[in-house]
Structures are given as C-alpha cells and as structure tokens.
Amino acid sequence: MNRIARAHIFLSILTIISGFNYTIAKWAMPAHIQPSSIIWIRMCCTTIFFLVFILLAKRSFYIAPKDRLRLFLCAIFGITINQIFFFEGLNLTKPINTSLIMSGIPITVFVLSAIFLKEKINWMNTLGLLLSAAGAALLLIDSKGKLNGLFLGDLFILINAISYGIFLILARQLMRGYDSVTVIFWIFLIGACITFPYSYIRYEYTDWAHLPSYAWAALGFIVVFATIINYYIGVDVLKDVSPAVSSMYVYIQPIITTLIALYFSSDKMDLQKFLYSLAILLGVYLVSKGTTKKLPEAETATAE
C-alpha cells in the first residue's frame, strides 16, 4: 500500500472516531463522570503516552527560550480553553450541534489568518463566511429556550472552536521548527498542570468504585481513541498529504456524527437543523475552496 492511500485510510478512521466520540462521551457525562474529571484524565494519559513515546524514540524535549511563551499560549488556547469548553459544551448540548459548530474551525482559522497573517479574501471566501455565520447563528437561536442548557452548550462549543483557531495560528511557527510530538507533549503537560485545580474540585464527586462498565468503556474510548490515537495519527498523516487534502474530511464528520447519534437515539435531525447544516458546511466548503494560500500544517489537527 502506498503512503498516500494509507494516509486517506487513517483520515477516514479519524473521522469515524470523532463521529463516535460525540455520542460515546455523553454516555459517561454528566451522569457518572464530571466533564472536568474527563478533561484532566485525558490530559494526563496523553502526556504520559507522548513522554514514553519521546523517550523510546529518542526524540528531543528541547524548546528554545524564545519560543516558550508561544508554547505556553498554545497550551492555553489549544488545550486548556479548548478542552474545558469542548467537554463542558458537549455536556450541555447535542452531538449533532457540536459536530456542526466544530466543522467551522477552518473558517475561524481563515478569519484569524486574514487579520494577523494578511490572508487574501475574495468573493467566494466572503460568501462562505456569510453562509456559515448565518447557519451557526440560526442554530444558536433555534437552540435558545428549547432545552435547558442547550444554547449555553452551543455557545461553549463556539468558544472552543474560536480558541482552537487561535491555537492553530500560534502553533504555525512551532510546528515548523520542532518535532510535532514534542510540541504536543509540552502543551498537554502544561494544560494538565493548569487545569488541575479546576478538575480536582469535582474529581471527588465521581463514585469511581461503583462506576458502571459502560462509563469506564466510554472513558477508555475518549482517552485511547479520541485523544492518543487521534493526535498521533493526525500528526503522522501530515507527512504524506497536504493540509488542504486532510481538511476535506471535516465535511464528512457531521454526517458520521449524525448517523451515529440517530442510531443510538442520542440526538435527532429535523428540517430546520438540516437546513442550518447545509448552510454551515457549504460555507466551510466555499471558504476552503476560495483560499489560495495554504493553511498551516497544524490546521488539520482535531480540536476535541
């Protein structure tokens, strides 16, 4: 099998993992495990995994002093804010809403690139931005007042997407200058340390001794598949395919998420949500299609 075909297989696997993650995470929280506890366990396990990986592979831990502030900011926006608002948001909202809002990350990156990196904007980008913004706004308005916490959850996911977009802009130089595994290790380590006070407060609320088996299975899936494998493969495929090719899989993720959520009855799709979905995904497609300048290599990483 050539490496290009292998990369596409891996990207398909990552898309399926992400699609399952939105529904499986809801099995564990908040009934059995608090989102804050999941966040910290996820960070600690990922940090330990990449620590062992770097030691066994004899990779370097070194980050130059001039890049350490940028690394710290990457941990704040890419891990701390991203993880807290993602899981707290998913805890309050629905899987389909989450995947739709998350699919707009490329748009967040493009807007920030236009502001800070002078990315060119054309009519196709503008139309895409308007369509996605309208779809996301209508999704938020539609969720307001329908279910307790649904609007707030959607808003948290939107903040998560914006935060991750900021991270991608900050991470461009780090990903070019250092081993990606080294950068991932440090940002997860910093994130785990920063979120410890927030996570520990509710950690003791969980009855770990009597946790049902399906909650343990959900937690295992989040840590092993949705985090460690997701990040490791996500970095590896960038050696063989461009970010533009990899980012195309963002259009498939809401479809996978919707099918899984409907199958497990964890969410439902009505006509209004379907129309908002079309607006958001079409907008993302137009922005990606109309972008003439390549996005940073880190931009295909997941924000979950």
Side-chain angles (χ1 to χ4, degrees):
M1 181 186 300
N2 64 61
R3 293 189 64 88
I4 300 298
R6 171 178 168 271
H8 281 283
I9 291 173
F10 280 165
L11 286 169
S12 299
I13 292 172
L14 292 184
T15 302
I16 294 172
I17 288 174
S18 296
F20 272 99
N21 185 48
Y22 295 121
T23 292
I24 290 177
K26 299 285 285 186
W27 295 354
M29 64 181 193
H32 303 291
I33 309 175
Q34 292 296 315
S36 56
S37 298
I38 293 178
I39 292 167
W40 199 65
I41 292 171
R42 187 185 195 193
M43 289 186 183
C44 289
C45 291
T46 305
T47 301
I48 293 170
F49 173 82
F50 283 109
L51 170 64
V52 174
F53 181 91
I54 291 172
L55 291 173
L56 293 178
K58 297 181 179 180
R59 305 281 182 90
S60 173
F61 288 97
Y62 181 74
I63 301 290
K66 65 182 179 65
D67 292 321
R68 290 173 187 172
L69 176 59
R70 181 182 290 269
L71 183 73
F72 180 78
L73 292 175
C74 284
I76 294 293
F77 288 103
I79 301 298
T80 307
I81 296 177
N82 168 44
Q83 294 289 308
I84 290 175
F85 279 93
F86 175 78
F87 276 98
E88 293 289 359
L90 180 60
N91 182 47
L92 296 172
T93 189
K94 297 289 186 177
I96 297 175
N97 290 39
T98 302
S99 65
L100 287 172
I101 296 172
M102 291 290 288
S103 68
I105 287 178
I107 289 183
T108 303
V109 173
F110 176 76
V111 171
L112 294 172
S113 296
I115 296 172
F116 297 106
L117 303 177
K118 309 304 178 184
E119 186 78 55
K120 293 181 180 180
I121 298 180
N122 54 40
W123 69 269
M124 192 176 291
N125 299 142
T126 304
L127 179 60
L129 287 170
L130 292 174
L131 271 174
S132 284
L138 289 170
L139 187 67
L140 287 169
I141 293 171
D142 185 57
S143 66
K144 189 173 184 179
K146 275 194 168 180
L147 293 171
N148 184 31
L150 184 61
F151 172 77
L152 185 60
D154 286 351
L155 191 60
F156 280 178
I157 296 298
L158 183 61
I159 293 172
N160 156 66
I162 294 172
S163 174
Y164 197 74
I166 295 172
F167 159 72
L168 293 175
I169 299 299
L170 291 170
R172 168 180 283 193
Q173 184 175 339
L174 290 176
M175 292 299 186
R176 287 177 174 177
Y178 300 96
D179 189 332
S180 298
V181 174
T182 301
V183 174
I184 291 172
F185 163 73
W186 282 113
I187 61 177
F188 266 97
L189 176 62
I190 296 169
C193 293
I194 294 174
T195 57
F196 175 73
Y198 157 79
S199 300
Y200 182 74
I201 293 175
R202 297 182 183 178
Y203 190 83
E204 58 186 10
Y205 290 177
T206 300
D207 185 6
W208 297 101
H210 300 93
L211 207 62
S213 57
Y214 66 85
W216 280 113
L219 181 60
F221 179 90
I222 292 169
V223 171
V224 176
F225 291 96
T227 309
I228 294 175
I229 292 178
N230 206 344
Y231 272 88
Y232 182 76
I233 293 179
V235 169
D236 183 68
V237 297
L238 291 175
K239 300 173 184 177
D240 305 308
V241 296
S242 70
V245 171
S246 180
S247 64
M248 291 297 292
Y249 282 81
V250 77
Y251 311 125
I252 305 173
Q253 190 175 119
I255 299 172
I256 300 295
T257 302
T258 299
L259 293 175
I260 293 169
L262 293 177
Y263 179 80
F264 287 104
S265 300
S266 60
D267 201 351
K268 62 180 181 178
M269 173 67 76
D270 53 30
L271 179 60
Q272 284 182 314
K273 188 180 289 187
F274 177 72
L275 294 175
Y276 304 154
S277 305
L278 288 181
I280 293 172
L281 295 177
L282 180 59
V284 173
Y285 172 76
L286 290 175
V287 169
S288 301
K289 188 75 173 177
T291 302
T292 56
K293 189 176 180 181
K294 284 189 176 181
L295 297 176
E297 287 190 359
E299 287 173 20
T300 50
T302 119
E304 296 169 18

